[in-house]
């Protein structure tokens, strides 16, 4: 399976979003990571469906929508209409996780399941063959530009082991604090979808992206 780079648009210059999105596309980026925050599940507010809908008009990229919101099942149709391709929900944010997963599927979208750094990896095991992607958070969600938490490595190892046995097509995403120094380590640990916000958008975007592609292969 090819590794995927999913730049987090939380760190894009929103005054120049179209120009910068074009730079991503021309550099060969296929996924956009879109961080939705509700000020309740996480202590920050970002953007929602109207902004995603606007970005949808300027790119054909696959929209990897990371929902850091409580009870995301209330907004599945809104994100579908906005142009999401996969909705990743948090284990910690859903009262009825199975119902939420099946509602996302019924809407015709792919589904991802995320856990925070302090959540035990074992809660994911029953879902390895029920979702398209597992997201291991390597920072406390809420803000870009934080430091990578090494606890993510053992979590990725476990998910990779389960995926080999149960669901070899599973996408394994890691999000938070990924940079040129630690990206090889998370790939070795089992990640195949790499989110990077500040490391993509600080400095020259095209150069940063091509540096990531060199490591991702
Ligand atoms: C954090 C978000 C991340 C964030 C990553 O809550 O989920 O996607 O934007 O940013 P960096 O790569 O700067 O840690
Ligand atoms: Zn994210």
């Amino acid at each position: 399976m090819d590794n995927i780079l999913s730049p987090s648009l939380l760190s894009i210059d929103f005054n120049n979003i179209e120009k910068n999105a074009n730079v991503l596309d021309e550099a060969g980026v296929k996924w956009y990571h879109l961080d939705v925050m509700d000020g309740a599940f996480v202590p920050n507010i970002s953007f929602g469906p109207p902004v995603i809908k606007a970005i949808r008009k300027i790119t054909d990229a696959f929209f990897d929508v990371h929902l850091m919101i409580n009870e995301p099942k209330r907004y599945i149709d809104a994100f579908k209409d906005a142009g999401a391709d996969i909705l990743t929900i948090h284990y910690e944010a859903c009262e009825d996780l199975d119902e939420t997963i099946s509602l996302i599927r019924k809407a015709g979208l792919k589904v991802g399941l995320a856990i925070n750094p302090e959540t035990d990896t074992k809660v994911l095991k029953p879902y390895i063959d029920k979702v398209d992607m597992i997201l291991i958070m390597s920072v406390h969600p809420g803000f870009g530009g934080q430091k990578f938490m090494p606890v993510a490595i053992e979590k990725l190892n476990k998910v990779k082991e389960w995926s080999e046995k149960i669901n070899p097509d599973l996408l394994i995403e890691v999000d938070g604090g990924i940079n040129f120094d630690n990206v090889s380590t998370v790939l070795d640990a089992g990640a195949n979808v790499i989110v990077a916000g500040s490391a993509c958008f600080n400095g020259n975007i095209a150069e940063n992206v091509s540096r990531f592609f060199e490591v991702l292969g």
Side-chain angles (χ1 to χ4, degrees):
M1 192 192 300
D2 289 341
N3 295 316
I4 294 165
L5 177 67
S6 194
S8 163
L9 269 65
L10 203 55
S11 293
I12 205 167
D13 172 6
F14 274 93
N15 285 116
N16 290 293
I17 188 148
E18 184 164 5
K19 194 180 101 202
N20 288 333
N22 291 341
V23 173
L24 292 178
D25 294 350
E26 277 159 32
V29 165
K30 300 283 181 257
W31 280 39
Y32 283 21
H33 184 85
L34 298 154
D35 287 301
V36 178
M37 304 177 182
D38 66 354
F41 179 65
V42 289
N44 195 9
I45 299 173
S46 57
F47 51 77
V51 170
I52 295 176
K53 197 171 195 160
I55 305 170
R56 184 75 284 175
K57 297 199 175 95
I58 58 176
T59 179
D60 293 326
F62 183 88
F63 276 10
D64 166 26
V65 177
H66 179 191
L67 296 178
M68 288 163 274
I69 66 177
N70 284 324
E71 292 307 335
K73 70 178 184 190
R74 299 173 293 160
Y75 296 103
I76 294 167
D77 290 337
F79 285 107
K80 182 190 162 86
D81 293 344
D85 292 295
I86 185 167
L87 292 183
T88 296
I89 53 175
H90 268 263
Y91 175 85
E92 304 86 357
C94 303
E95 209 175 321
D96 189 335
L97 186 57
D98 294 83
E99 184 201 14
T100 310
I101 291 171
S102 82
L103 288 170
I104 295 172
R105 286 236 181 274
K106 270 189 205 136
L109 298 175
K110 292 195 183 297
V111 52
L113 177 60
I115 55 166
N116 285 339
E118 65 277 8
T119 301
D120 195 322
T121 319
K122 71 172 190 248
V123 304
L124 297 172
K125 196 167 178 203
Y127 295 97
I128 297 291
D129 60 350
K130 295 190 177 67
V131 298
D132 300 289
M133 184 165 82
I134 293 290
L135 166 52
I136 298 296
M137 287 305 300
S138 42
V139 297
H140 293 294
F143 300 91
Q146 302 182 76
K147 199 172 172 306
F148 178 80
M149 294 168 72
V151 69
I153 299 295
E154 66 208 50
K155 289 172 179 279
L156 289 168
N157 282 327
K158 261 193 206 149
V159 173
K160 174 71 177 169
E161 188 189 314
W162 294 330
S163 129
E164 276 168 358
K165 287 191 199 132
I166 307 168
N167 181 3
D169 295 329
L170 186 70
L171 296 163
I172 305 174
E173 183 172 57
V174 63
D175 181 10
I178 305 299
N179 55 41
F180 302 115
D181 295 327
N182 59 26
V183 61
S184 307
T185 312
V186 294
L187 289 168
D188 289 348
N192 50 33
V193 183
I194 304 296
V195 177
S198 41
C200 281
F201 293 102
N202 287 353
N204 185 303
I205 300 168
E207 271 173 33
N208 294 336
V209 166
S210 75
R211 230 176 127 184
F212 271 118
F213 280 151
E214 269 170 41
V215 186
L216 265 61

